Amino acid sequence: VQLQASGGGLVQPGGSLRLSCAASGRILRVNYMGWYRQAPGKQRELVAGINSGGTKTYADSVKGRFTISRDNAKNTGYLQMNSLKPEDTAVYYCNARVVVAGSSAPWYEYWGQGTLVTVSS
């Protein structure tokens, strides 16, 4: 199973970006998909998560500005980021807990490669 994240880039404060995370491989089901970020000199933190039932969680710092969603048919997750601030600058990583076909384990956890978001004028 692989996670491919995309959509990062340079944006001005107040702008928007949409991140995508596509999961591929022997996937029976993606139980959970989340987005984390890590700014220089800081620990990785959870930004948003969504489970298979559609329940969403957000960090307080992004509530009202970011929206997480998923397309179960495509095994793809999205993070719509609006009203971006300089403090949102970080490498964003997608994370997924996946039920793998042919495996006896209930699920495995995977990470995408990270995509850089830079918010600057």
Side-chain angles (χ1 to χ4, degrees):
V1 173
Q2 291 185 328
L3 300 184
Q4 181 69 44
S6 61
L10 173 64
V11 64
Q12 292 186 342
S16 298
L17 282 175
R18 188 192 196 207
L19 305 183
S20 298
C21 178
S24 61
R26 295 174 56 82
I27 299 170
L28 284 180
R29 185 175 66 252
V30 179
N31 283 347
Y32 171 89
M33 188 166 279
W35 289 94
Y36 290 72
R37 66 186 181 188
Q38 187 166 19
K42 294 188 177 181
Q43 290 189 330
R44 190 174 297 188
E45 62 174 356
L46 175 66
V47 176
I50 183 169
N51 65 16
S52 56
T55 300
K56 305 174 184 180
T57 57
Y58 296 97
D60 288 343
S61 59
V62 306
K63 283 181 180 176
R65 301 188 297 123
F66 290 11
T67 302
I68 190 170
S69 62
R70 58 188 288 172
D71 184 331
N72 291 331
K74 296 181 179 179
N75 290 325
T76 299
Y78 306 96
L79 185 68
Q80 178 66 44
M81 305 185 295
N82 298 329
S83 302
L84 282 161
K85 304 175 181 180
E87 51 263 43
D88 295 317
T89 295
V91 177
Y92 284 70
Y93 298 90
C94 61
N95 169 271
R97 296 168 193 168
V98 177
V99 180
V100 178
S103 172
S104 60
W107 52 267
Y108 291 92
E109 185 172 43
Y110 297 92
W111 289 89
Q113 83 282 14
T115 184
L116 177 62
V117 172
T118 303
V119 185
S120 175
S121 55

